[in-house]
Amino acid sequence: MKKYIYGTTELGEILFNCLKECNIEIDGFTVDKEYITDNFLMSYPVVPYDELKSSAENGEEIGIYVCIGYKAMNENRRRAFKRIKADGMKIESFIHPSAIVKSDSIGEGCLIFEQAYIGPYTTIGDGNIFFPKSMLSHHSNAGNFNFFSVGCSVAGNVKIGDNCFLGNNSTTKDAVNIGSYTLLGAGCYASCDTNEYDVIVPARGQILENKRSIDFI
Ligand SMILES: CC(C)(COP(=O)(O)OP(=O)(O)OC[C@H]1O[C@@H](n2cnc3c(N)ncnc32)[C@H](O)[C@@H]1OP(=O)(O)O)[C@@H](O)C(=O)NCCC(=O)NCCS
């Protein structure tokens, strides 16, 4: 089976780096023709998506890693995922060998990067991305197409809907419900249930006027 990374942004490059490290071969990258700016990325061909679609229609087996990030609250990734499936291609998943994944069930097309931790008795839907050192603790459930940024920490018994974004180092209290399309800003503490499309942010750090680092340490 031929395998391609869908997406030529930094996320595609990050996955490429991991796949290479794990000796997982790909045949190239793919995006819609109008987004192709270069015919090669990382010395691999960038193939117009329609060409792969035609090959699939002609019976060729093609696997796709969906490498679309969190823009539009992960909606672009969800759309790409549905389209690729409808076009008869296989959605690939990736779990880095250093990740600890004890989940009861994981959906299709999840990308789980270095040292992510997914605890026991958890369930994970489709198209979720777990960046390095993100954590989803025991008995928690995540729906589909969520993005867990670097170092975010979700406690036990949490229910996360779909298309959420959990910013880096955000912390989610145990046993809360995080509504779909919730945005947890970097470094915030989500201590209560959220409704759909809610945004939680932390107090902002501030630059001290008329002070310099060497005044302190
Ligand atoms: C929450 C977040 C999305 C806000 O984005 P931003 O670019 O900082 O937003 P802006 O500075 O343009 O602020 C937009 C509005 O939200 C308000 N706001 C943003 N962060 C705030 C905070 N911490 N406290 C109070 N108000 C805040 C601003 O005051 C502004 O209000 P206004 O439109 O009335 O002027 C951003 O801080 C964040 O956490 N991003 C995620 C980063 C991350 O985790 N990346 C990981 C990728 S792997």
Side-chain angles (χ1 to χ4, degrees), residues 120-124 136-142 154-159:
Y121 312 112
T122 52
T123 61
I124 314 284
L136 180 75
S137 198
H138 64 97
H139 297 91
S140 287
N141 304 324
V154 178
N157 294 293
V158 171
K159 284 193 174 42

Side-chain angles (χ1 to χ4, degrees), residues 6-168:
Y6 182 99
T8 50
T9 60
E10 288 179 356
L11 181 59
E13 294 182 359
I14 292 168
L15 182 69
F16 174 80
N17 176 281
C18 284
L19 294 175
K20 217 169 169 50
E21 193 179 288
C22 299
N23 295 317
I24 300 172
E25 265 304 316
I26 59 158
D27 294 275
F29 293 82
T30 183
V31 279
D32 284 326
K33 204 172 178 177
E34 58 269 31
Y35 295 111
I36 296 181
T37 50
D38 234 316
N39 292 325
F40 288 90
L41 179 60
M42 305 287 175
S43 309
Y44 282 72
V46 180
V47 181
Y49 177 78
D50 275 348
E51 280 184 23
L52 298 186
K53 187 182 165 193
S54 305
S55 303
E57 280 163 4
N58 291 328
E60 193 171 335
E61 274 192 80
I62 294 177
I64 304 274
Y65 295 97
V66 184
C67 273
I68 304 291
Y70 50 77
K71 272 205 180 136
M73 290 302 290
N74 303 296
E75 198 53 24
N76 298 340
R77 185 164 75 261
R78 188 185 70 80
R79 285 205 199 107
F81 181 104
K82 301 283 180 203
R83 175 181 173 209
I84 291 163
K85 258 184 102 74
D87 290 339
M89 288 174 257
K90 180 174 180 281
I91 303 271
E92 298 289 338
S93 302
F94 171 73
I95 301 179
H96 192 277
S98 68
I100 296 172
V101 180
K102 298 186 168 188
S103 210
D104 288 339
S105 78
I106 301 191
E108 288 177 90
C110 291
L111 306 176
I112 303 176
F113 290 96
E114 294 93 326
Q115 296 181 18
Y117 173 79
I118 301 175
Y121 312 112
T122 52
T123 61
I124 314 284
D126 295 333
N128 287 289
I129 296 182
F130 286 86
F131 252 32
K133 295 200 169 181
S134 56
M135 292 181 281
L136 180 75
S137 198
H138 64 97
H139 297 91
S140 287
N141 304 324
N144 306 305
F145 307 109
N146 298 295
F147 190 98
F148 298 82
S149 304
V150 175
C152 76
S153 162
V154 178
N157 294 293
V158 171
K159 284 193 174 42
I160 299 174
D162 300 324
N163 290 65
C164 294
F165 173 86
L166 293 85
N168 52 267

